[in-house]
Amino acid sequence: MKLYDLELSGNCYKVRLFAALAGIELEMEPVDVPGGAHKQSPLIDLNPWGQVPVLIDDGVVLRDSQAILVYLARRYGGNQWWPDGAAQQAEVMQWLSTAANEIHGGPNAARLIDKFGNPLSKERALEISAQVLPLIEQHLGQHEWLALGRPTIADCAVFPYVALGWEGA
Ligand SMILES: N[C@@H](CCC(=O)N[C@@H](CS)C(=O)NCC(=O)O)C(=O)O
């Protein structure tokens, strides 16, 4: 199983974190994103979005860290990480959406501006961060884990950009 990876990427971090916790072996394929390799073949053929992470496993090609987490957990991780029940799956899914939406637009965007010079609105990134981070703080003040009272891929999706948040404070 091959992961097209960028070490500094929080989205790639999500996949590496879960793989490490679940004991899934990844063949790492570093992508020279600063040099533009993600916009060229072979990456662009695998992911027309021109982004990492990309996972290849057994003929399956996947982009998007949340989708990769669901795939890996479902196929290799067991029920504890991605449960079968409708309500339980939706509870985890709420947090995957938070990672892809508010955390992406908040702490991730602020870090992109400060660390990589991306031309995004810092004001807007901090505004979104100021909305989402207290909600996470409040939730974790009352729950040990984000969903289901145990570690799930929700934690793997949310943790990296929150932990790296100080790089875009
Ligand atoms: N929704 C995607 C976003 C992926 C993404 O934004 N990847 C960044 C690295 S963290 C990237 O490849 N950026 C280069 C670009 O967009 O040109 C995910 O969750 O994996």
Side-chain angles (χ1 to χ4, degrees):
M1 182 185 322
K2 185 183 283 193
L3 180 70
Y4 287 84
D5 178 63
L6 170 67
E7 193 176 350
L8 289 173
S9 157
N11 288 313
C12 295
Y13 184 0
K14 297 174 195 176
V15 179
R16 295 193 305 262
L17 174 62
F18 176 63
L21 291 172
I24 298 167
E25 201 170 321
L26 294 173
E27 180 193 340
M28 306 304 293
E29 186 75 35
V31 177
D32 179 11
V33 170
H38 55 312
K39 304 297 183 195
Q40 297 163 28
S41 206
L43 213 290
I44 200 74
D45 307 322
L46 297 168
N47 178 11
W49 270 248
Q51 293 179 326
V52 289
V54 172
L55 184 87
I56 303 186
D57 178 44
D58 208 10
V60 176
V61 180
L62 288 171
R63 65 173 171 84
D64 188 83
S65 51
Q66 284 67 232
I68 294 170
L69 289 177
V70 168
Y71 171 81
L72 289 177
R74 181 74 206 163
R75 181 148 189 203
Y76 299 108
N79 198 268
Q80 84 223 50
W81 298 100
W82 176 250
D84 284 330
Q88 288 81 7
Q89 276 190 3
E91 191 179 329
V92 174
M93 194 62 226
Q94 288 176 336
W95 291 104
L96 301 187
S97 292
T98 301
N101 188 10
E102 289 87 355
I103 293 174
H104 178 82
N108 163 61
R111 177 174 178 260
L112 285 176
I113 295 161
D114 282 9
K115 195 171 171 71
F116 303 103
N118 281 37
L120 299 165
S121 163
K122 183 76 185 282
E123 191 185 346
R124 182 68 187 132
L126 292 181
E127 194 182 2
I128 297 170
S129 299
Q131 287 166 355
V132 68
L133 293 176
L135 288 170
I136 294 173
E137 181 77 7
Q138 186 188 8
H139 185 82
L140 287 176
Q142 294 157 4
H143 304 84
E144 197 172 353
W145 302 95
L146 288 178
L148 307 181
R150 63 175 193 259
T152 66
I153 54 173
D155 303 285
C156 298
V158 167
F159 173 76
Y161 283 115
V162 173
L164 296 169
W166 64 275
E167 291 186 325

